[in-house]
Amino acid sequence: MGLLQDLKERILIADGAMGTLLYSHGVDRCFEELNLSKPEDIIHIHEAYIAAGAEVIQTNTYGANYVKLARYGLEDEVPSINRAAVRLAKKAAGNKAYVLGTIGGLRSINKSAVSIEEVKRTFREQLFVLLNEDVDGLLLETYYDLEELETVLAIARKETDKPIIAHVSLHEVGVLQDGTPLSEALARLEQLGADVIGLNCRLGPYHMIRSLEEVPLPKKAFLSAYPNASLPDYRDGRLIYETNTDYFKETALAFREQGVRLIGGCCGTTPKHIEAIANALTDRTPITEKVVKQRHVPISIQTNEPNAAPPLQDIVRKRRSVIVELDPPKKLGIAKFLEGAKALKEANIDALTLADNSLATPRISNMALGSIVKEQLGIRPLIHITCRDRNLIGLQSHLMGLHTLGITDVLAITGDPSKIGDFPGATSVYDLSSFDLIRLIRQFNEGLSYSGKPLGQKTNFSIAAAFNPNVRHLDKAVERLEKKIQCGAHYFITQPLYSEQQIEEVYEATKHLETPIYIGIMPLVSARNADFLHHEVPGITLSDEIRSRMAACANDPVQSAREGIAIAKSLIDAAFDLFNGIYLITPFLRYEMTVELVRYIHEKEQAAQERKVLHG
Ligand SMILES: Cc1cc2nc3c(=O)[nH]c(=O)nc-3n(C[C@H](O)[C@H](O)[C@H](O)COP(=O)(O)OP(=O)(O)OC[C@H]3O[C@@H](n4cnc5c(N)ncnc54)[C@H](O)[C@@H]3O)c2cc1C
Ligand SMILES: [Zn+2]
């Protein structure tokens, strides 16, 4: 009899966690390396699960791949660690249990952490060792990212006829992190040839059972579930799970009711949990009919107010548009900031952009100031959002907060890394890249959170993305723009540019894009400021002419500011006929400089319009 033949007839019990039982060897240890250094401990765990009633066990190879072993300098040991694992499991199993070769997901919640090519390479290497050691089947487990699981499953299906068990992991009941309903994901896995489809890890029995209520019995494949013991508690640097074996007894019956035919455990479970499941399931007959709960799809409420201002991307497509950055102060006290904001409003700007702790230096929260200028001064705030200071939880909370405040204009950026700022030891979070953040905001606009959970409303964010043309290869930067457009960017804002020629190059390199671009211009304030930008800011090159113009008035602050404004005006002239959007950056809260430039743009625009009328 083979595993699948058995599953046709009855429910089988699988084993529980490996990692949890190996914690005693040290939390920071490579658990898979223990296959080589502590083989008797691994055998002992397998034996304990078999004694508890497991008929299907898994090799201790969850993270035995190139990427994860490399963290311990063990990347050359992929073959030896996987080989040893299969031999140990087989030795423990004898003819009492099937041995599944486990391969764990790499990507977790972060899609961009590992490229699909790396996923394939890493998977193949581990797969071949496990198959060469003649496992009874494969267990692909803890895949949060469906693309990753579909990719590796297709590879495995091509390579072997042995049973393949494919498990996704969920954060939320019934949906994957990309919003795919569990029932659809499992159907896709069956389509790709998985013999057993199901869930493992992250959720305990309660949420897993609720998720399975929405899943019909598969046509050909079998359902499986390896729940965690409970939600984890974090104590003394380790995750602690409940030892709730009576509860597991009850839930085993509920899993059976959902049509599950292979039941094991994931993190936090022990042989005691498996014993409880085995004792509960005295009747191993699987169910053959099931009433499926309909997934509750809430009707999203459209939040576009009928008289809401048009988004900036629409404005800048139609006419000249000026947005101005005025950064939140580094010290408490906002009187000067508010004065500047007011003056800029009077000069007639389309939006005031507020940086998010630029140069990785703490400033007053741009959300707080954005809300103040919106409510008190009637200004449209454009809030920069970096991925540096907030994790995936914080970013989503921030977006919900902005929506609640009625702030809809955001710039999604990676953010300067902490090491360049005032607190170089601070963590740069980077749970998401700018691409992921853009995608996340687009998903919010569809009414869904990162994990696909309905938000109850659709947000209405207009999404700007950053364009840094100050790079050696402009074509590469343009490729990033194209990717950002695919992710959902509505328009771009550039780093400041300092030469007419560069503005023309940017125009040539981007004229094929339909997405509007605001060209960044920041007036120089002094010769030192010019030298700093030229010599110390990567990618920024000032022409000799600009530097000597600034140098000529080095000791005269008033004349320096005048010269800085004059230079900025010539850059505006260069950008004027090529781009509708101008993004002015206020240096050091010196708003009188940007106010003058805004006026200059409006006057120039008016003159151009009048000329147009005159010449028909
Ligand atoms: C309009 C604007 C506003 C900004 N506001 C802020 C702010 O408020 N707070 C803040 O901290 N920072 C801000 N920045 C700085 C920005 O975060 C950094 O310049 C960042 O390194 C790049 O931002 P990004 O989101 O465009 O990066 P991404 O396009 O996401 O790039 C991220 C990283 O990829 C690499 N990269 C980018 N382009 C290329 C390329 N062509 N080739 C190879 N590698 C590349 C770089 O290492 C870069 O750091 C702003 C930048 C711009 C243009
Ligand atoms: Zn787990």
Side-chain angles (χ1 to χ4, degrees), residues 325 354-360 384-386 388 411-417 433-435 466-468 471 473 476-477 480 484 493-495 583:
E325 179 166 326
L354 295 105
D356 187 9
N357 302 324
S358 54
L359 298 174
H384 302 196
I385 308 176
T386 69
R388 178 198 56 230
L411 167 67
I413 42 180
T414 300
D416 300 316
S433 66
S434 60
F435 300 124
F467 173 20
N468 182 9
V471 288
H473 303 290
K476 289 273 181 303
R480 291 181 80 81
K484 287 178 179 180
I493 309 181
T494 80
Q495 291 277 33
Y583 157 62

Side-chain angles (χ1 to χ4, degrees), residues 200-201 228 266-267:
N200 80 289
C201 207
N228 277 0
C266 205
C267 298

Side-chain angles (χ1 to χ4, degrees), residues 12-21 49 54-58 62 100 102 139 141-142 167 199-205 208 224-230 241 244 248 251-252 255 260 262-275 277-278:
L12 293 185
I13 312 287
D15 57 355
M18 211 59 199
T20 306
L21 300 190
Y49 277 124
E55 303 156 283
V56 180
I57 63 167
Q58 58 176 295
Y62 170 72
L100 302 178
T102 300
L139 174 62
E141 64 167 355
T142 328
H167 281 171
L199 291 164
N200 80 289
C201 207
R202 174 76 190 129
L203 304 179
M208 251 188 207
S224 59
Y226 286 34
N228 277 0
S230 65
Y241 296 84
N244 40 4
F248 255 62
T251 58
F255 276 115
V260 173
L262 179 65
I263 309 183
C266 205
C267 298
T269 58
T270 63
K272 288 246 174 301
H273 291 88
I274 299 305
E275 192 179 9
I277 297 173

Side-chain angles (χ1 to χ4, degrees), residues 421-440:
D422 281 7
F423 294 92
T427 324
S428 294
V429 180
Y430 299 141
D431 276 0
L432 300 186
S433 66
S434 60
F435 300 124
D436 303 322
L437 178 58
I438 294 166
R439 266 192 228 107
L440 172 66

